[in-house]
Amino acid sequence: MSRTAEFDRLFDKHRRPVHAYLLGRSGNPDLAADLLQETFLKVWKRLDSVLVVTPENRRYYILSMAKSVAADSFRRHRPSEVPLSAVAEVESSGSCTADLSTLDDAIMRLPEELRTILTMHVLGDMTSAEVGLALDRPAGTVRYQLHEARRRLAKILGIGGEE
Amino acid sequence: MNQLDQLLNAWADTRQISPIQASAIRQEIVGTVEMPSRKWWTELFASVTTSANFSYVTWPATSRPAGLESRG
């Protein structure tokens, strides 16, 4: 298989979870797309070392590259970051007519940690165990944080079923 | 599936990298011209170092760049 074909296979298979991670970290769709490109540029440049990794671990290897790309970018220009414990919950809008733009806004206003886990799960199609493996934390913690993210969103959107 | 799940699934569809966007990113990275493989470079350097006459290079026949004719 040619170098380009190998890269295309990796890009098609892993861009979704990597993008989900970067969107969660940055909370900014444009920046996430830029960081996705930077991450896969790194993959392209280091293709030989990526291909040495076993197929089942490649996702985590590429995600570790994404972490490093995000860290470099945030050192230059840090997106607004607030510690999870210091974030007050946003009051419910009281409206039941939640639409996608309200949800989008609510997700982007979640604390980075909760947002990243939520986007990796919902957008990246990753299980709690997979998210835990990628972020180096127990699956139980991921499940709790997912529940917390959903609870906050339900409250903001004024819809029930997450208490 | 509850209302929040339905909304989250719909949201995920809107926030995915679109195929067009993915293709543009991929194109930016790979470019339009494929880099010669490591094997190609190895063959090229081998042909240079083993040749008694350094005035020309025998391009590896397997993947000679278009427009470059072998002088061998």
Side-chain angles (χ1 to χ4, degrees):
Chain A
M1 189 182 289
S2 75
R3 183 179 161 82
T4 309
E6 291 278 18
F7 174 80
D8 286 346
R9 205 162 52 86
L10 289 173
F11 186 60
D12 288 343
K13 189 169 182 183
H14 300 297
R15 71 167 189 257
R16 195 172 165 139
V18 173
H19 173 247
Y21 168 77
L22 293 168
L23 182 64
R25 286 294 312 278
S26 67
N28 178 325
D30 291 335
L31 180 57
D34 286 347
L35 296 178
L36 179 72
Q37 183 167 327
E38 263 187 65
T39 302
F40 275 94
L41 180 61
K42 224 170 176 177
V43 171
W44 171 249
K45 287 177 175 170
R46 299 181 189 173
L47 192 58
D48 290 342
S49 69
V50 176
L51 293 175
V52 167
V53 177
T54 56
E56 62 272 20
N57 287 321
R58 278 180 196 157
R59 170 188 286 186
Y60 304 107
Y61 187 68
I62 295 173
L63 277 166
S64 73
M65 288 175 154
K67 282 183 197 177
S68 145
V69 165
D72 286 347
S73 168
F74 296 167
R75 260 194 295 276
R76 295 194 297 270
H77 174 70
R78 179 74 218 170
S80 56
E81 182 187 28
V82 184
L84 182 55
S85 57
V87 175
E89 291 188 18
V90 179
E91 289 303 312
S92 165
S93 64
S95 165
C96 289
T97 56
D99 59 14
L100 289 181
S101 82
T102 311
L103 176 62
D104 191 52
D105 186 50
I107 290 172
M108 295 311 160
R109 282 191 292 157
L110 282 174
E112 181 185 316
E113 196 173 356
L114 295 186
R115 187 178 59 225
T116 303
I117 285 170
L118 184 80
T119 54
M120 290 176 86
H121 180 64
V122 175
L123 197 60
D125 276 339
M126 295 175 77
T127 64
S128 303
E130 289 168 337
V131 173
L133 212 51
L135 300 181
D136 199 21
R137 68 190 63 175
T141 304
V142 172
R143 277 193 291 277
Y144 169 77
Q145 290 181 313
L146 266 177
H147 175 78
E148 179 61 16
R150 293 167 59 90
R151 190 187 68 76
R152 291 188 187 206
L153 290 179
K155 188 176 178 187
I156 293 168
L157 297 171
I159 54 181
E162 295 298 326
E163 292 302 323
Chain B
M1 183 183 288
N2 69 25
Q3 193 183 351
L4 183 58
D5 284 323
Q6 287 175 355
L7 276 169
L8 283 170
N9 285 340
W11 172 83
D13 287 342
T14 67
R15 277 293 175 218
Q16 272 318 331
I17 289 280
S18 71
I20 292 173
Q21 205 177 356
S23 173
I25 289 173
R26 181 237 172 241
Q27 200 64 15
E28 281 278 320
I29 295 169
V30 176
T32 51
V33 180
E34 185 178 353
M35 283 288 287
S37 67
R38 179 184 287 182
K39 181 169 175 285
W40 188 89
W41 285 112
T42 307
E43 287 178 18
L44 174 64
F45 290 129
S47 78
V48 172
T49 52
T50 56
S51 172
N53 181 356
F54 283 85
S55 64
Y56 68 87
V57 169
T58 305
W59 296 99
T62 50
S63 55
R64 183 180 302 140
L68 288 173
E69 302 302 329
S70 172
R71 298 176 60 192

